[in-house]
Amino acid sequence: MILKKLFSATAGLAIAVALGQAASAETLRLASQGDATSLDPHSHNESFTNYFLANVYEGLVGRDKNFNIAGQLAESWEQVDATTWRFNLRSGVTFHDGSAFAADDVIFSMNRALADTSNFKHVLASVDSFTAIDDRTVEIVTKAPNPILLNDLLDLMIVDKQWAEANGSEEPINLQAEEKAFSATNANGTGPFRVVSRTQGEKTELAANPNYWGERGNVTEVVFTPINNASTLVSALLSGEVDVVMPLPLQDIPRVESADGVNVVSSPEARTMYIGMDQWRDQIIESPVEGNPFLDLRVRQAFAHAINAEAIIDRVMQGQATLATQYVMDKVNGYNPDLTRLPYDPEKAKSLLAEAGYPDGFELTMDCSTDRYVNDGQICQATVSLLAQVGIKVNLLAQPKAQFFPKVVSPDFGTSFFLLSWTPSTMDSLNVFQNVLGTRDLDNGRGAWNISGCSVPEADALAAEAATMMDADAREKLLQDAMALMVDNVCLVPLHVQQLVWGVAQNIDVVQHPTFEFPLEHFNVN
């Protein structure tokens, strides 16, 4: 295999709570504050949904227990020339319904990921063509040399072509239109677990795939229950009704730490929380103000100065986060160590608002989820209070993510002020530029999550150059310079990088990855 190692992660990024495996088959009971939004692997690029489905579906490549890129449905690969990659597919793999996996499933899935209703076009943005050489070989040709093609392919899950066509699921569901289709509630992957039953928002049951090609722990059944009430969630853990709570409500860390039979498990997460401001409409929506104040850099700077991110970390996040100076964490390629954030300075914020023509502030609406991120509702409430101190009246629209996401990622991006976050699954800043920071070019897979509509052409050019730069040091500098331009333009207001904090029964071995992946094949019940 001809492959230059593009990314390395220390084994410390994967945390095993306990060592050893039990011999008996066991049930694992998981709980979280929200549910996967769909079982369709190409409809909604949302981290929890992606990583829940990564236990059911697989890609050509994936992450191993130690967070390194490893083969999944591709057993090996080689780079034939600067733009041509050849993937040798694993033999003897079957989908959960027993049908054989072959190259045409890969080609079908790539085309499906490029469909109009897909939220995963960015995965193949660098790809010029893909063909099946034979049943066991797929060739991918990129438009230009791509130093992180394997990282990009981490987000591409493979669907059974025959199954999808037989069930009217040739294209992903349109989540923004709240479309309901067979692929939203049914699944047929090759992964270590198969879906036995699913009731959206109530319970999903998985069973171990008896024909799984890879190694798996002793878990044979998984029962996942979304519990959006924090007190009920923690009570379920302490009473033994569930084995793993992810994430653990931060206010309950001391309670769990002092309880018998459970542990608090934590590690850094590659998720940066940020506040977004509409920079593309001439008239912001859901606001009585005339025009769009956010088109003025001084207003965006004022909002950044008005938000006390350190106080949010201390009081809302209970110290379980680190201050963000930019839109990626320090372990992500392209992180710029020279950047600083605009300091909390409400008087400076008032002065900037006055300079921009808003001496008395203005009124607007903020969209916020209540069950997607750690303490998301409380973060938004704190933001509302802080902005009120500089004359900005914010009407908070807080709602479950099942309603929040269809609104904010609708075709017309139905929000002008919002809380969101991003985890680059590739652990590379280019992923953030492709999805969140790059000027919108939806037809070519860029900017699907650029809800703010921010646009800095100079940064786009640097990111585009980095996309084909094979020299690692030069590429890092390009990404760092692009990041500096986005921060200088206050594309978004970065808040913090949150910590992964789970509550786990003492008899459970778990693995945490910084992207929030939870690979259940590495979990064990002792």
Side-chain angles (χ1 to χ4, degrees):
M1 179 174 67
I2 303 171
L3 177 65
K4 180 178 180 181
K5 190 171 184 181
L6 301 173
F7 177 79
S8 175
T10 64
L13 289 174
I15 296 181
V17 176
L19 299 176
Q21 295 188 11
S24 60
E26 298 287 351
T27 296
L28 178 70
R29 299 160 300 172
L30 302 177
S32 186
Q33 61 185 357
D35 199 357
T37 55
S38 169
L39 294 188
D40 191 313
H42 301 137
S43 68
H44 188 199
N45 187 17
E46 186 250 349
S47 295
F48 184 84
T49 298
N50 292 349
Y51 299 137
F52 183 86
L53 291 178
N55 294 291
V56 177
Y57 287 97
E58 295 179 293
L60 292 173
V61 295
R63 299 281 190 187
D64 65 15
K65 186 175 182 178
N66 294 322
F67 201 60
N68 297 311
I69 293 178
Q72 281 191 339
L73 294 178
E75 191 169 35
S76 62
W77 52 89
E78 62 179 347
Q79 192 168 355
V80 179
D81 57 40
T83 60
T84 305
W85 295 68
R86 189 166 293 156
F87 292 84
N88 304 306
L89 305 184
R90 198 174 295 277
S91 299
V93 175
T94 59
F95 287 94
H96 295 155
D97 68 355
S99 59
F101 160 70
D104 62 347
D105 298 307
V106 177
I107 302 304
F108 172 80
S109 298
M110 288 183 170
N111 282 315
R112 195 174 191 269
L114 291 171
D116 289 342
T117 52
S118 170
N119 206 202
F120 287 83
K121 297 184 184 71
H122 68 281
V123 172
L124 300 172
S126 71
V127 173
D128 183 61
S129 64
F130 41 86
T131 55
I133 304 302
D134 55 43
D135 279 351
R136 303 256 67 83
T137 312
V138 169
E139 192 167 87
I140 297 177
V141 179
T142 57
K143 299 169 186 174
N146 181 357
I148 59 165
L149 178 66
L150 295 181
N151 304 60
D152 289 340
L153 292 176
L154 290 168
D155 282 342
L156 178 71
M157 298 186 198
I158 306 303
V159 173
D160 180 0
K161 177 178 183 289
Q162 182 179 358
W163 174 85
E165 291 177 341
N167 292 289
S169 299
E170 293 89 342
E171 294 189 355
I173 67 164
N174 186 341
L175 186 74
Q176 287 72 42
E178 300 186 60
E179 179 182 348
K180 304 300 181 185
F182 186 83
S183 60
T185 54
N186 296 271
N188 185 34
T190 60
F193 292 89
R194 60 184 178 85
V195 176
V196 175
S197 67
R198 173 161 172 84
T199 303
Q200 176 81 30
E202 295 183 17
K203 184 169 70 172
T204 304
E205 294 180 303
L206 308 178
N209 175 8
N211 300 315
Y212 182 54
W213 60 266
E215 295 183 0
R216 187 173 46 76
N218 72 339
V219 175
T220 57
E221 181 185 32
V222 178
V223 178
F224 171 73
T225 307
I227 305 173
N228 61 14
N229 181 278
S231 177
T232 305
L233 187 66
V234 175
S235 294
L237 175 69
L238 297 180
S239 68
E241 293 177 44
V242 300
D243 304 308
V244 180
V245 164
M246 50 186 188
L248 178 68
L250 300 181
Q251 66 272 16
D252 291 295
I253 290 175
R255 181 182 172 197
V256 174
E257 285 180 330
S258 64
D260 294 331
V262 291
N263 293 317
V264 175
V265 184
S266 66
S267 62
E269 183 177 4
R271 176 173 301 283
T272 301
M273 301 297 303
Y274 58 82
I275 288 171
M277 303 159 287
D278 188 333
Q279 293 153 64
W280 65 283
R281 291 182 175 93
D282 293 329
Q283 173 65 55
I284 61 172
I285 61 174
E286 299 177 324
S287 168
V289 70
E290 183 177 346
N292 185 349
F294 292 128
L295 295 177
D296 191 321
L297 174 61
R298 293 169 296 184
V299 173
R300 303 197 301 274
Q301 290 172 331
F303 272 57
H305 281 299
I307 296 171
N308 190 342
E310 290 180 321
I312 290 173
I313 291 172
D314 182 50
R315 299 169 195 170
V316 178
M317 299 300 293
Q318 307 288 309
Q320 296 293 322
T322 56
L323 193 67
T325 61
Q326 55 205 277
Y327 312 122
V328 294
M329 71 171 316
D330 59 2
K331 291 183 174 62
V332 173
N333 296 334
Y335 172 85
N336 190 330
D338 297 328
L339 297 181
T340 57
R341 61 177 295 111
L342 294 176
Y344 172 59
D345 188 340
E347 294 306 314
K348 179 67 172 176
K350 291 177 184 177
S351 174
L352 286 166
L353 286 170
E355 287 179 25
Y358 303 97
D360 299 320
F362 55 90
E363 181 180 348
L364 77 167
T365 298
M366 182 178 194
D367 288 285
C368 183
S369 60
T370 57
D371 59 353
R372 173 59 190 94
Y373 311 113
V374 177
N375 288 356
D376 42 7
Q378 295 94 314
I379 294 170
C380 291
Q381 290 169 2
T383 299
V384 170
S385 297
L386 289 163
L387 289 171
Q389 296 173 21
V390 300
I392 303 296
K393 180 183 178 182
V394 180
N395 302 308
L396 180 59
L397 179 57
Q399 54 192 325
K401 68 178 184 178
Q403 286 79 51
F404 171 78
F405 280 119
K407 180 187 180 188
V408 300
V409 299
S410 62
D412 60 349
F413 298 95
T415 181
S416 284
F417 188 52
F418 56 92
L419 175 77
L420 267 176
S421 76
W422 193 257
T423 300
S425 57
T426 59
M427 294 298 284
D428 189 276
S429 294
L430 187 62
N431 175 273
V432 185
F433 281 97
Q434 289 171 329
N435 288 281
V436 178
L437 301 177
T439 301
R440 282 188 203 145
D441 183 2
L442 301 181
D443 290 339
N444 291 303
R446 187 177 68 186
W449 285 87
N450 186 352
I451 313 300
S452 68
C454 61
S455 176
V456 182
E458 300 92 333
D460 291 339
L462 291 171
E465 188 176 353
T468 61
M469 174 60 68
M470 302 304 286
D471 182 291
D473 291 339
R475 183 177 186 277
E476 186 81 357
K477 180 66 164 55
L478 289 167
L479 291 172
Q480 289 176 342
D481 289 349
M483 186 65 68
L485 285 171
M486 302 309 296
V487 170
D488 287 346
N489 279 272
V490 196
C491 175
L492 307 162
V493 178
L495 296 178
H496 56 259
V497 176
Q498 69 182 33
Q499 191 84 352
L500 276 175
V501 184
W502 296 355
V504 182
Q506 286 180 349
N507 68 319
I508 306 295
D509 302 348
V510 302
V511 170
Q512 285 183 333
H513 284 168
T515 52
F516 196 76
E517 293 172 67
F518 45 100
L520 297 176
E521 70 269 27
H522 301 311
F523 285 32
N524 279 281
V525 180
N526 296 307

